[in-house]
Amino acid sequence: MRGVVFDGKQVQVVDDLAVRDPGPGEVLVAISAAGLCHSDLSVVDGTIPFPVPVVLGHEGAGVVEAVGAGVSHVAPGDHVALSTLANCGTCPDCDRGRPTMCRQAIGRPGRPFSRGDRPVHQFACNSAFAERTVVKAVQAVRIPKDIPLPSAALIGCGVLTGVGAVLNRARVDRGDSVVVIGTGGIGLNVLQGARLAGALRIVAVDANPAKEAAARQFGATDFLTSAEGVRDILPTGADHVFECVGRVELIRQAIDLLDRHGQAILLGVPRAAAEASFVVSSMFLDKSVLGCRYGSSRPQRDIPLYAELYRQGRLLLDELVTATYPVEDFEKARADAEAGRVARGVLTF
């Protein structure tokens, strides 16, 4: 079968990939569509260290082909959106409703794929850039069949991360002020999360002025090409500032833009050894810097919620899909994503 494999030096679309059958508590999914996220590109450029060879992709949707023993919540023929959280469901963090903190879901790459006699790693417990993948049952979330699968694919990362960061981690409240630095796929979802939460002023900041129309469509009340203009709109600072790019100088800007009791939420991913600085005395007015993994999401709860908000016309998905590419055109999709020409490009099988 076809898949996108990174061997440590180059990315190739191969046609000799194989995946094993699902075992107990697992699901085999035929991938229909998968979003190209910057985290995939970060594996290729070394920002995110990962063992190779690896099948890329972690934001996908498709149709269940087979289930292993003990799986009852999905069945062959069901449409599913996939999450990256292969959490155990039984540890103290899972029991407290914090599956993103489950230690079974972090840093344990499996190798369900193979090329010839050589095993191939799975990225983010998912590997959606393959015609078929095997995931833990908890990762496959059933969705209504009337949701287009290219749109549904984006729920599994961009929406869970961006909207989830607003609703679950920052807990933005009605009337709050929000600044979003970076309006790519994650930033646009932060914008619409802030809109859903009832934020009063939502300021989008992106160096590319061509992104203004999309930012306003997703919920921005104001658009700036530099964070230096934020204080003209919010003289005392913002209640919440989301950094969605992953650059240390922008992290510093996010912290500097906070009002009293404000919080900076870090969503962009810089290099693993990157360090950021801030003026310590500026933090004593109850300001906070919050890390956020995967929108602090609970996928089995949140994905059906977002799917229903989409069906009600309150959450935008179709508008996120700015281009679709057959998987054979991966390099074009990659070039468009790296150049910022698309909010989310979607590979189709």
Side-chain angles (χ1 to χ4, degrees):
M1 67 178 185
R2 293 170 297 167
V4 179
V5 177
F6 176 55
D7 64 6
K9 295 181 180 179
Q10 63 178 344
V11 182
Q12 290 182 295
V13 179
V14 303
D15 59 9
D16 60 349
L17 195 64
V19 66
R20 63 171 173 77
D21 293 333
E26 294 181 333
V27 177
L28 175 67
V29 178
I31 298 295
S32 175
L36 177 55
C37 175
H38 275 277
S39 292
D40 300 303
L41 302 179
S42 293
V43 174
V44 176
D45 68 21
T47 301
I48 297 178
F50 205 87
V52 293
V54 58
V55 179
L56 297 174
H58 63 285
E59 186 182 67
V63 180
V64 175
E65 281 202 349
V67 300
V71 177
S72 59
H73 74 291
V74 293
D78 284 345
H79 287 200
V80 292
L82 301 182
S83 87
T84 66
L85 284 183
N87 58 296
C88 70
T90 59
C91 70
D93 282 309
C94 286
D95 195 47
R96 294 174 67 183
R98 302 190 307 194
T100 57
M101 296 296 102
C102 175
R103 285 167 171 78
Q104 297 296 321
I106 301 174
R108 295 172 179 265
R111 295 193 292 182
F113 299 99
S114 61
R115 295 184 67 192
D117 58 358
R118 187 180 183 187
V120 180
H121 286 93
Q122 185 174 44
F123 179 54
C125 303
N126 189 308
S127 288
F129 292 170
E131 288 188 83
R132 292 172 183 80
T133 190
V134 169
V135 297
K136 289 186 66 171
V138 71
Q139 296 177 252
V141 184
R142 187 169 54 205
I143 57 174
K145 292 184 178 180
D146 59 358
I147 300 179
L149 288 172
S151 298
L154 304 188
I155 299 177
C157 178
V159 176
L160 282 177
T161 300
V163 178
V166 174
L167 302 182
N168 301 328
R169 185 65 169 131
R171 297 186 180 274
V172 172
D173 201 359
R174 291 166 296 176
D176 284 356
S177 58
V178 172
V179 174
V180 181
I181 301 176
T183 60
I186 298 299
L188 289 176
N189 279 296
V190 173
L191 290 171
Q192 70 172 334
R195 171 176 51 80
L196 287 167
L200 185 62
R201 208 71 185 261
I202 306 172
V203 183
V205 180
D206 198 293
N208 184 354
K211 294 186 176 183
E212 179 173 1
R216 290 187 180 275
Q217 181 182 24
F218 276 76
T221 60
D222 304 90
F223 183 89
L224 300 170
T225 55
S226 169
E228 294 177 1
V230 171
R231 291 283 181 175
D232 296 329
I233 299 170
L234 301 170
T236 63
D239 297 312
H240 314 274
V241 182
F242 295 82
E243 200 283 335
C244 304
V245 180
R247 288 167 46 188
V248 293
E249 66 272 22
L250 297 180
I251 292 172
R252 171 60 184 268
Q253 283 188 343
I255 295 169
D256 289 344
L257 289 172
L258 296 177
D259 196 356
R260 298 183 179 192
H261 204 268
Q263 50 187 17
I265 301 89
L266 310 185
L267 297 178
V269 181
R271 291 189 175 274
E275 297 183 0
S277 64
F278 57 89
V279 178
V280 176
S281 61
S282 71
M283 302 297 293
F284 291 133
L285 291 172
D286 287 1
K287 299 179 184 181
S288 304
V289 179
L290 304 180
C292 183
R293 180 172 189 249
Y294 205 42
S296 301
S297 298
R298 291 164 288 176
Q300 288 288 342
R301 172 191 180 274
D302 291 346
I303 289 177
L305 169 64
Y306 300 151
E308 185 56 33
L309 287 171
Y310 165 79
R311 297 173 85 197
Q312 293 179 11
R314 298 167 62 191
L315 183 119
L316 305 181
L317 289 179
D318 302 338
E319 296 81 358
L320 282 168
V321 184
T322 45
T324 59
Y325 310 82
V327 68
E328 290 80 7
D329 287 346
F330 173 81
E331 283 302 326
K332 183 178 187 328
R334 175 184 173 186
D336 287 348
E338 289 176 336
R341 289 189 286 266
V342 294
R344 245 335 178 252
V346 175
L347 301 179
T348 57
F349 289 88

